[in-house]
Amino acid sequence: MQSHGNQPPKEPTVSQSRLLVLVSGAGSILQALMDACTRPDFGARIVAVGADRDGTGAVVRAQQAGIPTFVLPVRDFPDRAGWDKALTQACAEFRPDLVIAAGFLKLVGAEFLAEFGGRVVNTHPALLPSFPGLHSVRDALAHGVKVTGCSVILVDSGVDSGPILAQAAVPVRDDDDEHSLHERIKVIERALVPDTVGKMLREGWSVRDRTVRIG
Ligand code: GRF
């Protein structure tokens, strides 16, 4: 059995796993995770929310819910490695079992992956490996695809290249623009991310080559 970075739990993690959520935007997927955590059977709580920029709706949501937050803009550090080290330390202080990148628009670096690799989950608004990167919805529309969707993946050192945990399809409509299509994809992400994270925590997971088995 091959795993990425640190060994993921072999047994299901029991109640009240610790989730740390990284964000850059409105935080609707964070909200879906916060809502899921209110269910006793979900078995997890969000111990902190970290952002790479000021003024995000996601951080406001977390603050209103009484969740600790931190903001670490890349520009506050002399270089990317310094930012990555600070991000790693800030996250480690909260001892997360899983880190969830929920609309986090930065690539984490080597130090972060040395600490958390194998237990960092990302959600991406396309059916990977098609359309990685920051403009996936626009790129899918420009390519003329009839079906796109979202992918929940384990983060590795590449750009949206890690093993796939879950995917769901979203049909493209003739009159879709980037905004309308992204909004429909986000509706699906708001269900798929908590569902996938909850299953991982309750049932455990393993990775062989690129193939993930949950449970
Ligand atoms: C999601 O579509 C995510 O896949 C992408 O950014 C969006 C985040 O939305 N990377 P929100 O900030 O959670 O509302």
Side-chain angles (χ1 to χ4, degrees), residues 25-30 102-105 123-125 182 186 189:
S28 67
I29 297 167
L30 166 67
F104 186 58
L105 302 179
T123 178
H124 180 76
H182 198 175
K186 283 174 64 166
E189 290 182 283

Side-chain angles (χ1 to χ4, degrees), residues 93-153:
E93 277 179 28
F94 292 98
R95 296 178 289 104
D97 297 304
L98 270 189
V99 178
I100 322 286
F104 186 58
L105 302 179
K106 289 284 181 299
L107 292 178
V108 295
E111 184 150 349
F112 191 92
L113 288 174
E115 179 75 25
F116 298 113
R119 51 197 178 104
V120 186
V121 173
N122 184 34
T123 178
H124 180 76
L127 290 175
L128 293 168
S130 293
F131 312 116
L134 282 178
H135 304 294
S136 52
V137 180
R138 189 188 309 168
D139 293 345
L141 271 177
H143 199 84
V145 299
K146 303 301 183 198
V147 176
T148 183
C150 58
S151 304
V152 182
I153 65 171

Side-chain angles (χ1 to χ4, degrees), residues 8-14 200-205:
K10 290 196 181 68
E11 300 298 327
T13 307
V14 289
M200 291 171 76
L201 295 173
R202 286 189 299 275
E203 301 174 23
W205 72 96

